[in-house]
């Protein structure tokens, strides 16, 4: 089974489909299940199927045939949302902040213009004994 490489990233459209797969109660779904998650206008069935095939090739998703489903494939994420989030954050930290967590956090504290309350919450996360 092919597994997503550490430096493999998703396009916006692929990320949208992954979010739908992660959110589906069955732990994944068919092309039709994914299409049902979209707002109107729906993308074409073939477009969605192509993106799912790409996600399989990239190692993010596994396609399984289920008994009694004929030609229908069930697509199951191989990477959790948290795993992918960690991978993306690590990539950004390493690419833009020289691997420094301090520089990474400092950037967001400054750029996000956090309120005093938000800063207190962050400090409490870092040092819960305070």
């Amino acid at each position: 089974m092919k597994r997503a490489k550490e430096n493999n990233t998703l396009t916006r459209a692929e990320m949208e489909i992954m979010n739908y797969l992660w959110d589906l109660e069955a732990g994944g779904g068919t092309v039709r299940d994914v299409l049902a998650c979209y707002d109107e206008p729906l993308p074409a069935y073939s477009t969605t199927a192509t993106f799912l095939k790409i996600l399989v090739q990239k190692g993010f998703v596994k396609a399984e045939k289920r008994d009694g489903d004929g030609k229908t494939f069930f697509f199951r994420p191989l990477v959790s949302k948290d795993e992918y989030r960690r991978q993306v954050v690590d990539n950004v930290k390493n690419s833009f902040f020289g691997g420094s967590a301090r520089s990474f956090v400092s950037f967001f504290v400054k750029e996000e213009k956090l309120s005093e309350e938000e800063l207190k919450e962050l400090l409490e996360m870092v040092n819960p004994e305070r």
Side-chain angles (χ1 to χ4, degrees), residues 1 7 20 37 79 91 93 111 119:
M1 159 181 21
N7 61 356
Y20 293 147
C37 297
V79 177
N91 189 25
K93 181 184 71 169
E111 290 298 313
L119 288 170

Side-chain angles (χ1 to χ4, degrees), residues 17 37 42 47 49 60-61 65 75 79 82 88 90 105 109 124 129-130:
I17 289 174
C37 297
L42 301 180
T47 302
F60 285 98
V61 171
K65 283 215 175 209
F75 296 92
V79 177
D82 284 341
V88 170
D90 280 347
V105 172
V109 168
E124 202 167 294
E129 297 167 3
R130 285 184 121 190

Side-chain angles (χ1 to χ4, degrees), residues 26-61:
T30 64
V31 175
R32 292 201 191 288
D33 294 331
V34 172
L35 283 170
C37 297
Y38 280 92
D39 292 329
E40 293 287 338
L42 301 180
Y45 181 97
S46 59
T47 302
T48 305
T50 298
F51 276 114
L52 284 161
K53 182 179 178 183
I54 290 167
L55 288 166
V56 168
Q57 291 169 343
K58 285 185 166 186
F60 285 98
V61 171

Side-chain angles (χ1 to χ4, degrees), residues 56 62-66 69 72-76 78:
V56 168
K62 181 176 182 176
E64 306 169 324
K65 283 215 175 209
R66 297 245 165 131
D69 280 345
T72 304
F73 281 96
F74 183 87
F75 296 92
R76 184 175 52 82
L78 293 174

Side-chain angles (χ1 to χ4, degrees), residues 4-5 7-19 22 51 54-56 58-61 79-81 84-85 87-88 91:
K5 294 180 185 170
N7 61 356
N8 229 353
T9 56
L10 299 170
T11 66
R12 183 176 293 145
E14 293 165 351
M15 188 71 225
E16 187 172 18
I17 289 174
M18 285 300 296
N19 277 317
W22 286 319
F51 276 114
I54 290 167
L55 288 166
V56 168
K58 285 185 166 186
F60 285 98
V61 171
V79 177
S80 74
K81 194 172 198 172
Y84 186 69
R85 183 182 298 138
Q87 177 186 322
V88 170
N91 189 25

